[in-house]
Amino acid sequence: MDQILSIDKGAEEGLVQLLKFLLENDKVSGVFTLRKTTGKGFFDYALITEPGLLEDAIPLHPFMNVNGGKIISSLPPMKKPVAAVIRPCELRSFVELVKRSQGSIDDFLLISYTCGGSFPFDKTLKDNGQKLLPGYWKAVEKGVDSENIRQSCASCEHFVPQNADITVSLLGEKDLRSKCLMYLHSERSMAMTEEFDAEISDGQLEIKRFEALLEKRSEQKKKDFKEINIEDSGLDGMIDLFGRCIGCHGCMRVCPICQCVLCDFESCGYDPDTSVIANELPVRGGVRVPTDTVLFHIGRLSHMSFSCVGCGQCTEVCPADIPVSTLFRKTGEQVAGIFDYIPGRDVDEEIPVTIFKEDELSELGND
Ligand code: SF4
Ligand code: SF4
Ligand code: SF4
Protein backbone atom coordinates (compact mmCIF):
# COMPACT_ATOMS: atom_id res chain seq x y z
CA MET A 1 0.00 0.00 0.00
CA ASP A 2 1.27 3.48 -0.87
CA GLN A 3 1.36 6.37 1.58
CA ILE A 4 -0.14 9.82 1.06
CA LEU A 5 1.55 12.97 2.33
CA SER A 6 -0.90 15.81 2.76
CA ILE A 7 0.15 19.41 3.34
CA ASP A 8 -2.07 22.49 3.73
CA LYS A 9 -0.26 24.42 1.02
CA GLY A 10 -0.63 24.81 -2.72
CA ALA A 11 0.69 21.85 -4.73
CA GLU A 12 3.83 23.57 -5.97
CA GLU A 13 4.58 25.24 -2.63
CA GLY A 14 4.12 21.92 -0.82
CA LEU A 15 6.41 20.13 -3.25
CA VAL A 16 9.11 22.80 -2.89
CA GLN A 17 8.81 22.45 0.89
CA LEU A 18 9.46 18.71 0.54
CA LEU A 19 12.44 19.32 -1.77
CA LYS A 20 13.93 21.75 0.76
CA PHE A 21 13.43 19.24 3.55
CA LEU A 22 15.19 16.52 1.56
CA LEU A 23 18.15 18.75 0.75
CA GLU A 24 18.49 20.44 4.16
CA ASN A 25 18.36 17.10 5.93
CA ASP A 26 20.93 15.51 3.67
CA LYS A 27 18.51 12.89 2.37
CA VAL A 28 19.50 13.79 -1.19
CA SER A 29 22.66 15.30 -2.66
CA GLY A 30 20.82 17.68 -4.97
CA VAL A 31 17.53 18.64 -6.56
CA PHE A 32 16.87 18.71 -10.30
CA THR A 33 13.97 21.04 -11.07
CA LEU A 34 12.69 23.87 -13.21
CA ARG A 35 13.42 27.24 -11.61
CA LYS A 36 12.91 30.91 -12.30
CA THR A 37 15.99 32.64 -13.62
CA THR A 38 15.76 36.43 -13.26
CA GLY A 39 12.22 36.94 -12.00
CA LYS A 40 11.02 38.17 -15.42
CA GLY A 41 9.21 34.93 -16.15
CA PHE A 42 12.24 33.17 -17.64
CA PHE A 43 13.08 29.70 -16.40
CA ASP A 44 15.43 26.80 -16.91
CA TYR A 45 16.24 23.38 -15.53
CA ALA A 46 18.85 23.38 -12.76
CA LEU A 47 20.68 20.96 -10.51
CA ILE A 48 20.58 22.62 -7.09
CA THR A 49 22.63 21.74 -4.02
CA GLU A 50 22.14 24.95 -1.99
CA PRO A 51 18.69 24.80 -0.25
CA GLY A 52 18.31 28.61 -0.41
CA LEU A 53 18.22 28.46 -4.21
CA LEU A 54 15.04 26.37 -4.05
CA GLU A 55 13.19 29.64 -3.35
CA ASP A 56 13.15 30.05 -7.13
CA ALA A 57 12.05 26.48 -7.90
CA ILE A 58 8.93 26.11 -10.07
CA PRO A 59 8.88 22.32 -10.42
CA LEU A 60 5.35 22.14 -11.85
CA HIS A 61 5.66 24.88 -14.48
CA PRO A 62 4.00 23.54 -17.66
CA PHE A 63 6.87 24.04 -20.04
CA MET A 64 9.45 21.53 -21.26
CA ASN A 65 12.41 23.43 -22.72
CA VAL A 66 14.47 20.24 -22.86
CA ASN A 67 13.52 16.66 -22.07
CA GLY A 68 14.51 16.26 -18.41
CA GLY A 69 14.93 12.49 -18.77
CA LYS A 70 17.69 13.07 -21.30
CA ILE A 71 19.35 15.67 -19.06
CA ILE A 72 19.40 13.64 -15.84
CA SER A 73 20.82 10.65 -17.69
CA SER A 74 23.95 12.71 -18.35
CA LEU A 75 24.43 14.03 -14.79
CA PRO A 76 27.41 12.68 -12.89
CA PRO A 77 26.54 10.34 -9.99
CA MET A 78 26.57 12.11 -6.62
CA LYS A 79 27.13 10.77 -3.09
CA LYS A 80 23.41 10.34 -2.47
CA PRO A 81 20.46 10.26 -4.89
CA VAL A 82 19.32 13.47 -6.56
CA ALA A 83 15.62 14.34 -6.22
CA ALA A 84 14.50 14.90 -9.83
CA VAL A 85 11.11 16.44 -10.61
CA ILE A 86 10.21 15.40 -14.15
CA ARG A 87 7.05 14.82 -16.19
CA PRO A 88 5.74 11.31 -16.91
CA CYS A 89 7.11 11.37 -20.49
CA GLU A 90 10.51 12.53 -19.24
CA LEU A 91 10.49 9.75 -16.68
CA ARG A 92 9.60 7.21 -19.37
CA SER A 93 12.45 8.42 -21.54
CA PHE A 94 14.84 8.14 -18.57
CA VAL A 95 13.73 4.52 -18.09
CA GLU A 96 14.43 3.84 -21.78
CA LEU A 97 17.88 5.39 -21.37
CA VAL A 98 18.60 3.32 -18.25
CA LYS A 99 17.90 0.23 -20.38
CA ARG A 100 20.59 1.50 -22.75
CA SER A 101 23.08 1.89 -19.86
CA GLN A 102 22.70 5.67 -19.96
CA GLY A 103 21.85 6.19 -16.31
CA SER A 104 20.85 4.45 -13.11
CA ILE A 105 17.49 4.53 -11.35
CA ASP A 106 19.34 4.30 -7.99
CA ASP A 107 20.95 7.70 -8.58
CA PHE A 108 17.60 9.50 -8.39
CA LEU A 109 14.60 9.94 -6.18
CA LEU A 110 12.14 10.23 -9.05
CA ILE A 111 9.30 12.67 -8.43
CA SER A 112 6.61 13.14 -11.05
CA TYR A 113 2.99 14.26 -11.28
CA THR A 114 -0.31 13.62 -13.00
CA CYS A 115 0.37 15.81 -15.98
CA GLY A 116 -1.93 18.34 -17.59
CA GLY A 117 0.53 18.83 -20.46
CA SER A 118 3.12 21.38 -21.54
CA PHE A 119 2.83 24.60 -23.49
CA PRO A 120 4.20 24.64 -27.04
CA PHE A 121 7.27 26.79 -27.60
CA ASP A 122 5.47 29.33 -29.80
CA LYS A 123 2.83 30.10 -27.15
CA THR A 124 5.46 30.98 -24.58
CA LEU A 125 7.66 33.23 -26.68
CA LYS A 126 5.89 36.52 -25.92
CA ASP A 127 5.52 36.41 -22.14
CA ASN A 128 6.94 33.03 -21.13
CA GLY A 129 3.40 31.71 -21.03
CA GLN A 130 2.43 33.87 -18.03
CA LYS A 131 -0.98 34.82 -19.46
CA LEU A 132 -1.82 31.18 -20.12
CA LEU A 133 -1.07 29.96 -16.61
CA PRO A 134 -4.39 30.79 -14.81
CA GLY A 135 -6.46 29.02 -17.50
CA TYR A 136 -4.06 26.09 -17.50
CA TRP A 137 -4.29 25.51 -13.75
CA LYS A 138 -8.10 25.86 -13.80
CA ALA A 139 -8.24 23.08 -16.40
CA VAL A 140 -5.87 20.90 -14.34
CA GLU A 141 -8.07 21.37 -11.26
CA LYS A 142 -11.05 20.20 -13.27
CA GLY A 143 -9.06 17.26 -14.67
CA VAL A 144 -9.55 18.40 -18.28
CA ASP A 145 -7.18 19.60 -21.00
CA SER A 146 -6.26 23.26 -21.32
CA GLU A 147 -6.75 24.40 -24.91
CA ASN A 148 -3.19 25.74 -24.93
CA ILE A 149 -1.20 22.55 -24.47
CA ARG A 150 0.92 20.91 -27.19
CA GLN A 151 -0.73 18.69 -29.75
CA SER A 152 1.41 15.80 -28.47
CA CYS A 153 0.08 16.39 -24.95
CA ALA A 154 -3.57 16.56 -26.07
CA SER A 155 -3.13 13.01 -27.38
CA CYS A 156 -0.86 11.70 -24.59
CA GLU A 157 -2.28 8.63 -22.84
CA HIS A 158 0.59 8.27 -20.37
CA PHE A 159 -0.08 11.29 -18.18
CA VAL A 160 -0.04 9.27 -14.93
CA PRO A 161 3.58 8.55 -14.02
CA GLN A 162 4.98 5.04 -13.93
CA ASN A 163 8.11 4.14 -11.95
CA ALA A 164 8.03 7.32 -9.85
CA ASP A 165 9.06 7.19 -6.19
CA ILE A 166 6.64 10.04 -5.52
CA THR A 167 3.62 11.24 -7.54
CA VAL A 168 2.21 14.69 -6.88
CA SER A 169 -1.52 14.57 -7.56
CA LEU A 170 -2.58 17.47 -9.78
CA LEU A 171 -5.23 16.44 -12.33
CA GLY A 172 -8.71 16.72 -10.89
CA GLU A 173 -7.55 18.07 -7.51
CA LYS A 174 -10.04 20.86 -6.79
CA ASP A 175 -8.01 22.29 -3.91
CA LEU A 176 -4.77 22.50 -5.87
CA ARG A 177 -4.03 26.00 -4.60
CA SER A 178 -4.45 25.12 -0.93
CA LYS A 179 -3.67 21.43 -0.67
CA CYS A 180 -0.69 19.36 -1.76
CA LEU A 181 -1.16 15.59 -2.01
CA MET A 182 1.87 13.43 -2.69
CA TYR A 183 1.73 9.65 -3.12
CA LEU A 184 4.77 7.71 -1.94
CA HIS A 185 5.23 4.52 -3.94
CA SER A 186 8.64 3.27 -2.87
CA GLU A 187 10.22 2.24 0.39
CA ARG A 188 13.02 4.74 -0.03
CA SER A 189 10.60 7.65 -0.54
CA MET A 190 8.79 6.59 2.66
CA ALA A 191 12.07 6.31 4.55
CA MET A 192 13.34 9.69 3.32
CA THR A 193 10.14 11.53 4.27
CA GLU A 194 9.58 9.89 7.66
CA GLU A 195 10.41 13.08 9.59
CA PHE A 196 8.78 15.46 7.12
CA ASP A 197 6.08 17.62 8.68
CA ALA A 198 2.93 16.40 6.88
CA GLU A 199 -0.18 14.40 7.57
CA ILE A 200 0.46 10.77 6.53
CA SER A 201 -2.15 8.20 5.57
CA ASP A 202 -2.32 4.99 3.56
CA GLY A 203 -3.88 5.13 0.14
CA GLN A 204 -3.59 4.55 -3.58
CA LEU A 205 -3.85 7.03 -6.42
CA GLU A 206 -7.36 6.52 -7.84
CA ILE A 207 -6.84 5.83 -11.57
CA LYS A 208 -10.56 5.56 -12.37
CA ARG A 209 -10.98 9.32 -12.14
CA PHE A 210 -8.80 9.77 -15.24
CA GLU A 211 -10.99 7.63 -17.49
CA ALA A 212 -12.78 10.53 -19.23
CA LEU A 213 -9.54 12.37 -19.94
CA LEU A 214 -7.89 9.17 -21.18
CA GLU A 215 -10.79 8.54 -23.54
CA LYS A 216 -10.61 12.08 -24.92
CA ARG A 217 -6.87 11.87 -25.47
CA SER A 218 -7.15 8.44 -27.12
CA GLU A 219 -9.70 9.88 -29.55
CA GLN A 220 -7.37 12.77 -30.33
CA LYS A 221 -4.51 10.34 -30.88
CA LYS A 222 -6.62 8.37 -33.37
CA LYS A 223 -7.36 11.58 -35.29
CA ASP A 224 -3.70 12.66 -35.31
CA PHE A 225 -2.52 9.23 -36.44
CA LYS A 226 -5.12 9.13 -39.21
CA GLU A 227 -3.78 12.38 -40.65
CA ILE A 228 -0.31 10.83 -41.01
CA ASN A 229 -1.24 8.26 -43.60
CA ILE A 230 2.17 6.88 -44.49
CA GLU A 231 1.08 3.23 -44.53
CA ASP A 232 -1.04 3.82 -47.65
CA SER A 233 1.35 6.17 -49.41
CA GLY A 234 4.63 4.37 -48.57
CA LEU A 235 7.91 5.92 -49.62
CA ASP A 236 6.12 8.58 -51.69
CA GLY A 237 4.29 9.61 -48.52
CA MET A 238 7.58 9.87 -46.64
CA ILE A 239 9.03 11.99 -49.44
CA ASP A 240 5.96 14.23 -49.36
CA LEU A 241 6.07 14.54 -45.57
CA PHE A 242 9.78 15.22 -45.34
CA GLY A 243 10.11 17.08 -48.64
CA ARG A 244 10.50 20.33 -46.76
CA CYS A 245 12.96 18.90 -44.19
CA ILE A 246 16.10 21.06 -44.21
CA GLY A 247 18.25 18.31 -42.70
CA CYS A 248 19.14 20.32 -39.60
CA HIS A 249 18.92 17.20 -37.36
CA GLY A 250 17.28 19.32 -34.64
CA CYS A 251 14.65 16.62 -34.08
CA MET A 252 17.40 14.13 -33.39
CA ARG A 253 19.36 16.39 -31.04
CA VAL A 254 16.41 17.04 -28.74
CA CYS A 255 15.15 13.45 -28.79
CA PRO A 256 15.74 11.79 -25.42
CA ILE A 257 15.95 8.36 -27.01
CA CYS A 258 18.57 9.14 -29.69
CA GLN A 259 21.67 8.49 -27.63
CA CYS A 260 24.41 7.19 -29.92
CA VAL A 261 27.63 9.02 -29.10
CA LEU A 262 28.57 9.15 -32.77
CA CYS A 263 25.55 9.15 -35.02
CA ASP A 264 26.16 7.72 -38.47
CA PHE A 265 23.99 10.44 -39.99
CA GLU A 266 26.33 13.05 -38.49
CA SER A 267 29.40 11.43 -40.02
CA CYS A 268 31.15 12.54 -43.19
CA GLY A 269 29.50 9.60 -45.00
CA TYR A 270 26.39 11.76 -45.17
CA ASP A 271 28.06 15.06 -46.02
CA PRO A 272 26.20 16.62 -48.92
CA ASP A 273 29.44 16.81 -50.86
CA THR A 274 29.67 16.80 -54.60
CA SER A 275 30.46 13.06 -54.87
CA VAL A 276 26.97 12.10 -53.62
CA ILE A 277 25.36 14.30 -56.21
CA ALA A 278 27.87 13.35 -58.91
CA ASN A 279 27.20 9.63 -58.37
CA GLU A 280 23.43 9.88 -58.17
CA LEU A 281 22.76 12.35 -60.94
CA PRO A 282 23.77 10.21 -63.94
CA VAL A 283 21.65 7.32 -62.60
CA ARG A 284 18.51 9.26 -61.72
CA GLY A 285 18.63 12.36 -63.84
CA GLY A 286 17.65 14.46 -60.82
CA VAL A 287 18.37 14.44 -57.06
CA ARG A 288 16.63 16.00 -54.10
CA VAL A 289 18.77 18.42 -52.14
CA PRO A 290 19.69 18.45 -49.37
CA THR A 291 20.38 14.76 -49.88
CA ASP A 292 19.46 11.91 -47.53
CA THR A 293 16.80 13.75 -45.54
CA VAL A 294 14.31 10.90 -46.00
CA LEU A 295 16.94 8.23 -45.32
CA PHE A 296 17.80 10.06 -42.09
CA HIS A 297 14.21 9.74 -40.87
CA ILE A 298 13.89 6.12 -42.00
CA GLY A 299 17.11 5.39 -40.11
CA ARG A 300 15.87 7.08 -36.96
CA LEU A 301 12.47 5.39 -37.23
CA SER A 302 14.09 1.97 -37.43
CA HIS A 303 16.60 2.71 -34.65
CA MET A 304 14.42 4.14 -31.95
CA SER A 305 10.75 4.69 -32.78
CA PHE A 306 9.70 1.65 -30.66
CA SER A 307 11.04 3.59 -27.66
CA CYS A 308 9.43 6.93 -28.60
CA VAL A 309 7.70 8.34 -25.53
CA GLY A 310 5.73 10.96 -27.48
CA CYS A 311 7.22 13.92 -25.61
CA GLY A 312 6.78 16.11 -28.69
CA GLN A 313 10.19 17.82 -28.46
CA CYS A 314 11.05 16.92 -32.08
CA THR A 315 7.92 18.60 -33.44
CA GLU A 316 8.50 21.63 -31.23
CA VAL A 317 11.96 22.35 -32.61
CA CYS A 318 11.30 21.53 -36.26
CA PRO A 319 11.80 24.75 -38.27
CA ALA A 320 9.87 23.21 -41.19
CA ASP A 321 6.76 22.55 -39.10
CA ILE A 322 6.80 18.80 -39.78
CA PRO A 323 4.74 16.67 -37.34
CA VAL A 324 7.76 14.51 -36.53
CA SER A 325 6.47 13.38 -33.15
CA THR A 326 3.16 12.08 -34.51
CA LEU A 327 4.90 9.99 -37.16
CA PHE A 328 7.46 8.56 -34.74
CA ARG A 329 4.86 7.79 -32.12
CA LYS A 330 2.51 6.19 -34.62
CA THR A 331 5.27 4.04 -36.12
CA GLY A 332 6.69 3.26 -32.70
CA GLU A 333 3.38 2.15 -31.26
CA GLN A 334 2.77 -0.12 -34.22
CA VAL A 335 6.18 -1.78 -33.95
CA ALA A 336 6.20 -1.93 -30.13
CA GLY A 337 2.63 -3.29 -30.16
CA ILE A 338 3.79 -6.39 -32.03
CA PHE A 339 6.08 -7.15 -29.09
CA ASP A 340 3.61 -5.98 -26.43
CA TYR A 341 6.22 -3.39 -25.53
CA ILE A 342 5.43 -0.04 -23.94
CA PRO A 343 8.40 2.30 -23.66
CA GLY A 344 9.12 3.40 -20.10
CA ARG A 345 6.73 0.89 -18.53
CA ASP A 346 9.26 -1.29 -16.76
CA VAL A 347 12.98 -0.83 -16.37
CA ASP A 348 13.50 -4.62 -16.51
CA GLU A 349 11.54 -5.01 -19.76
CA GLU A 350 14.05 -5.57 -22.54
CA ILE A 351 14.02 -3.43 -25.67
CA PRO A 352 12.52 -5.53 -28.53
CA VAL A 353 15.48 -4.99 -30.84
CA THR A 354 17.90 -6.46 -28.26
CA ILE A 355 15.96 -9.72 -27.87
CA PHE A 356 14.85 -10.14 -31.47
CA LYS A 357 15.01 -13.74 -32.72
CA GLU A 358 15.39 -14.63 -36.36
CA ASP A 359 12.33 -16.91 -36.43
CA GLU A 360 10.15 -13.97 -35.35
CA LEU A 361 10.35 -12.80 -38.94
CA SER A 362 8.04 -15.61 -40.04
CA GLU A 363 5.58 -14.74 -37.25
CA LEU A 364 5.38 -11.27 -38.73
CA GLY A 365 4.59 -12.66 -42.15
CA ASN A 366 7.89 -11.66 -43.69
CA ASP A 367 9.15 -15.11 -44.61
S1 SF4 B 1 3.54 14.26 -23.39
FE1 SF4 B 1 2.21 13.55 -21.69
S2 SF4 B 1 3.54 13.42 -19.92
FE2 SF4 B 1 4.62 14.63 -21.45
S3 SF4 B 1 4.16 16.76 -20.95
FE3 SF4 B 1 2.64 16.08 -22.44
S4 SF4 B 1 0.92 15.32 -21.23
FE4 SF4 B 1 2.67 15.46 -19.89
S1 SF4 C 1 10.89 10.93 -31.48
FE1 SF4 C 1 10.13 12.95 -30.80
S2 SF4 C 1 8.36 12.48 -29.54
FE2 SF4 C 1 9.53 10.58 -29.74
S3 SF4 C 1 10.87 10.55 -27.95
FE3 SF4 C 1 12.03 11.50 -29.62
S4 SF4 C 1 11.68 13.73 -29.37
FE4 SF4 C 1 10.12 12.66 -28.14
S1 SF4 D 1 13.96 19.22 -37.18
FE1 SF4 D 1 12.57 19.22 -38.98
S2 SF4 D 1 13.83 20.16 -40.60
FE2 SF4 D 1 15.26 19.55 -38.98
S3 SF4 D 1 15.93 17.46 -39.58
FE3 SF4 D 1 14.17 17.21 -38.21
S4 SF4 D 1 12.38 17.06 -39.60
FE4 SF4 D 1 14.09 17.94 -40.79
Side-chain angles (χ1 to χ4, degrees):
M1 176 68 81
D2 291 349
Q3 283 184 348
I4 311 172
L5 292 185
S6 169
I7 314 169
D8 288 333
K9 288 202 164 146
E12 189 157 69
E13 204 186 338
L15 174 56
V16 172
Q17 188 171 315
L18 175 68
L19 296 172
K20 265 190 200 159
F21 165 84
L22 293 170
L23 200 51
E24 277 168 355
N25 292 280
D26 213 20
K27 310 277 182 195
V28 295
S29 286
V31 170
F32 177 82
T33 177
L34 280 169
R35 57 126 192 223
K36 287 181 255 176
T37 50
T38 59
K40 290 180 186 162
F42 292 97
F43 46 85
D44 58 18
Y45 262 130
L47 174 62
I48 293 169
T49 52
E50 164 54 48
L53 294 181
L54 285 172
E55 293 298 328
D56 293 326
I58 44 170
L60 305 177
H61 191 62
F63 188 78
M64 186 178 359
N65 51 341
V66 287
N67 184 299
K70 182 180 172 107
I71 302 301
I72 64 170
S73 86
S74 60
L75 294 178
M78 297 176 86
K79 230 172 159 184
K80 290 189 175 164
V82 166
V85 188
I86 52 179
R87 293 167 189 79
C89 58
E90 295 172 300
L91 179 43
R92 292 174 69 218
S93 59
F94 180 59
V95 167
E96 287 303 293
L97 289 168
V98 168
K99 291 181 197 177
R100 289 161 171 81
S101 307
Q102 300 288 313
S104 166
I105 291 277
D106 296 338
D107 290 341
F108 296 94
L109 179 75
L110 294 162
I111 304 175
S112 193
Y113 45 88
T114 51
C115 182
S118 291
F119 293 150
F121 284 6
D122 60 354
K123 288 197 174 161
T124 56
L125 288 177
K126 282 188 196 135
D127 67 342
N128 295 303
Q130 295 305 307
K131 281 202 187 102
L132 305 178
L133 283 173
Y136 174 86
W137 285 114
K138 255 187 207 159
V140 171
E141 279 173 351
K142 286 185 192 156
V144 298
D145 278 337
S146 150
E147 60 189 18
N148 292 308
I149 57 174
R150 296 175 178 190
Q151 187 184 3
S152 52
C153 294
S155 63
C156 165
E157 297 163 315
H158 298 280
F159 51 85
V160 178
Q162 289 173 300
N163 299 301
D165 290 289
I166 301 176
T167 297
V168 186
S169 182
L170 301 181
L171 279 169
E173 293 294 351
K174 291 184 179 51
D175 300 324
L176 210 50
R177 277 166 278 192
S178 57
K179 196 98 187 154
C180 177
L181 292 175
M182 295 183 274
Y183 288 77
L184 311 180
H185 309 295
S186 63
E187 278 178 20
R188 69 174 176 171
S189 65
M190 292 175 200
M192 282 188 193
T193 55
E194 241 170 14
E195 294 143 28
F196 181 56
D197 186 16
E199 205 178 290
I200 303 178
S201 56
D202 289 336
Q204 214 82 35
L205 185 63
E206 178 61 69
I207 301 294
K208 211 172 150 46
R209 71 164 116 151
F210 304 122
E211 275 174 4
L213 183 60
L214 182 59
E215 201 177 315
K216 184 174 173 286
R217 288 192 177 189
S218 298
E219 278 307 310
Q220 188 58 51
K221 186 182 88 170
K222 271 188 215 152
K223 277 188 206 155
D224 293 351
F225 281 10
K226 206 171 165 194
E227 276 173 31
I228 302 262
N229 195 17
I230 296 290
E231 57 269 49
D232 289 342
S233 47
L235 186 58
D236 282 348
M238 282 290 282
I239 292 169
D240 283 345
L241 188 63
F242 290 106
R244 60 181 189 268
C245 171
I246 62 168
C248 67
H249 293 187
C251 50
M252 178 194 79
R253 287 179 206 287
V254 296
C255 179
I257 309 299
C258 265
Q259 48 81 42
C260 295
V261 176
L262 182 59
C263 172
D264 199 34
F265 292 108
E266 299 269 277
S267 71
C268 58
Y270 289 90
D271 275 351
D273 59 15
T274 47
S275 68
V276 175
I277 293 175
N279 292 339
E280 295 282 327
L281 211 46
V283 182
R284 300 179 181 210
V287 289
R288 294 179 65 246
V289 280
T291 56
D292 293 325
T293 48
V294 175
L295 182 64
F296 164 70
H297 292 288
I298 292 174
R300 231 167 73 76
L301 279 166
S302 63
H303 286 177
M304 52 61 64
S305 63
F306 42 82
S307 283
C308 169
V309 295
C311 65
Q313 288 297 89
C314 46
T315 298
E316 286 301 309
V317 302
C318 179
D321 206 19
I322 297 168
V324 191
S325 165
T326 312
L327 174 67
F328 274 68
R329 198 169 141 219
K330 178 176 178 177
T331 312
E333 283 192 12
Q334 283 172 352
V335 177
I338 295 168
F339 300 96
D340 187 28
Y341 184 77
I342 297 181
R345 174 170 56 184
D346 180 354
V347 75
D348 294 322
E349 195 173 8
E350 291 178 276
I351 309 163
V353 78
T354 61
I355 50 166
F356 180 76
K357 296 182 191 76
E358 218 171 297
D359 59 6
E360 281 177 323
L361 279 171
S362 58
E363 282 173 36
L364 300 179
N366 292 324
D367 52 351

